């Protein structure tokens, strides 16, 4: 009987040893899989970051080279007369002459067709403006607003500056 009891104890001990090793091997397998996954994701992020960085660098170099080939063009806008928005009975007129600096165009002839669009931007904004809006530093706000509208209207082209050559309110 002692042999059977001892044999049973040894069998239990032998059965218990592989069970203790099984969770450790599963744990090692899970940790190795997680480490491999982290390496794969990290490598993928590094690879994509490198591709994005080099493409942005190429775009910047390309745009600088294009800007050097096509310097900004100063397009003169013919003098225009517009009336301001007055709620009273007497009209208030503005005479305006401007120059628009545009880059990204090979020559001025390509911009001549767009002068009507540019004049429309000026006229629409001036018709919405009241005489008290252009007093003081209102001319600066008027210039910035027209510049913003020109950039939106001539979107593929880059409007870099707007010069108000003549601005007369009567």
């Amino acid at each position: 009987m002692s042999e059977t009891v001892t044999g049973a104890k040894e069998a239990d001990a032998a059965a218990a040893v592989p069970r203790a090793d099984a969770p450790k091997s599963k744990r090692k397998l899970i940790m190795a899989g997680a480490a491999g996954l982290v390496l794969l994701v990290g490598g993928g992020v590094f690879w994509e970051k490198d591709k994005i960085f080099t493409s942005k660098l190429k775009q910047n170099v390309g745009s600088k080279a294009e800007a050097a080939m096509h310097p900004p063009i100063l397009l003169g806008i013919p003098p225009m007369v517009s009336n301001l928005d007055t709620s009273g009975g007497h009209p208030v007129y503005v005479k305006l002459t401007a120059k628009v600096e545009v880059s990204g165009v090979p020559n001025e002839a390509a911009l001549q067709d767009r002068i009507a669009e540019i004049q429309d931007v000026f006229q629409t904004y001036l018709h919405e403006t009241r005489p008290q809006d252009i007093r003081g530093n209102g001319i600066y706000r008027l210039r910035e607003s027209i510049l913003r509208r020109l950039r939106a209207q001539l979107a593929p082209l880059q409007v870099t500056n707007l010069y108000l050559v003549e601005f007369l309110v009567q």
Side-chain angles (χ1 to χ4, degrees):
M1 215 161 155
S2 68
E3 287 181 28
T4 57
V5 172
T6 312
K9 287 181 181 178
E10 289 174 6
D12 287 338
V17 171
R19 287 185 190 162
D21 287 339
K24 286 184 181 178
S25 65
K26 283 184 181 179
R27 219 179 272 155
K28 286 180 183 178
L29 183 63
I30 291 173
M31 289 177 69
L37 184 64
V38 167
L39 286 174
L40 283 174
V41 170
V45 168
F46 181 74
W47 179 268
E48 289 299 317
K49 181 187 76 144
D50 186 44
K51 285 168 63 176
I52 291 170
F53 177 72
T54 55
S55 68
K56 292 286 184 187
L57 184 63
K58 286 178 185 175
Q59 287 176 355
N60 288 341
V61 169
S63 64
K64 287 180 183 177
E66 185 178 315
M69 287 176 31
H70 303 296
I73 294 175
L74 202 59
L75 179 67
I77 305 299
M80 64 182 85
V81 177
S82 179
N83 59 339
L84 298 178
D85 180 25
T86 58
S87 55
H90 72 288
V92 176
Y93 295 102
V94 172
K95 182 178 180 184
L96 176 74
T97 306
K99 293 188 183 255
V100 179
E101 188 175 0
V102 181
S103 61
V105 180
N107 55 18
E108 189 174 343
L111 284 176
Q112 291 299 324
D113 297 336
R114 314 251 354 224
I115 287 182
E117 282 181 78
I118 295 170
Q119 284 180 326
D120 184 54
V121 169
F122 277 97
Q123 290 288 353
T124 353
Y125 189 77
L126 288 172
H127 284 301
E128 297 171 355
T129 305
R130 299 175 300 183
Q132 57 265 29
D133 291 342
I134 55 175
R135 290 193 183 116
N137 64 352
I139 293 178
Y140 176 75
R141 285 193 303 266
L142 176 123
R143 180 188 166 279
E144 290 299 314
S145 298
I146 290 176
L147 185 60
R148 189 174 347 115
R149 287 183 180 200
L150 283 173
R151 285 178 178 154
Q153 184 72 30
L154 305 173
L157 303 176
Q158 298 169 352
V159 179
T160 55
N161 212 343
L162 170 67
Y163 303 104
L164 297 176
V165 177
E166 179 184 23
F167 192 81
L168 178 68
V169 179
Q170 183 182 6

